[in-house]
Amino acid sequence: MVTVSLPEILDIRATSPLAAELLHARGNPLMIDASSVAKVGAQCIQVLLSAHATWTADGLPLNVVHPSEPLLDALETLGIPFTDISEQESTK
């Protein structure tokens, strides 16, 4: 199991580094710690959606744990269910 911790600011500048870090973890079960996220943009949400689709296609689990309120609010604003980025449901 590989763990990736999301940074506090997930804006457009964080998109490429996030995608690269997730790509490096490909082929392994993945846990993403989202507890530190204070600001999130749609581009990083797209990266998380893509990662979830990729891990699902690879038959591997991807779980986002400890989602922050700003992340959950951003998903809700965009009309995206939490389960579109994580196998397990949010406990918040």
Side-chain angles (χ1 to χ4, degrees), residues 68-80:
S68 67
E69 286 300 321
L71 175 61
L72 294 174
D73 290 347
L75 289 169
E76 185 177 340
T77 297
L78 294 168
I80 299 170

Side-chain angles (χ1 to χ4, degrees), residues 15 18 41-52 78 80 85:
T15 305
L18 175 60
Q43 298 86 353
C44 284
I45 297 289
Q46 288 178 310
V47 171
L48 294 172
L49 288 167
S50 177
H52 185 258
L78 294 168
I80 299 170
I85 65 165

Side-chain angles (χ1 to χ4, degrees), residues 2-91:
V2 174
T3 300
V4 169
S5 295
L6 296 179
E8 184 178 348
I9 306 298
L10 283 175
D11 59 9
I12 194 162
R13 289 171 284 172
T15 305
S16 291
L18 175 60
E21 186 172 12
L22 295 175
L23 185 59
H24 183 71
R26 189 168 182 189
N28 298 288
L30 182 61
M31 181 170 50
I32 299 174
D33 181 346
S35 60
S36 296
V37 176
K39 180 181 176 186
V40 60
Q43 298 86 353
C44 284
I45 297 289
Q46 288 178 310
V47 171
L48 294 172
L49 288 167
S50 177
H52 185 258
T54 299
W55 262 253
T56 299
D58 289 349
L60 294 168
L62 183 154
N63 289 297
V64 176
V65 297
H66 312 296
S68 67
E69 286 300 321
L71 175 61
L72 294 174
D73 290 347
L75 289 169
E76 185 177 340
T77 297
L78 294 168
I80 299 170
F82 182 76
T83 53
D84 281 4
I85 65 165
S86 179
E87 281 191 10
Q88 71 185 43
E89 293 191 27
S90 169
T91 57

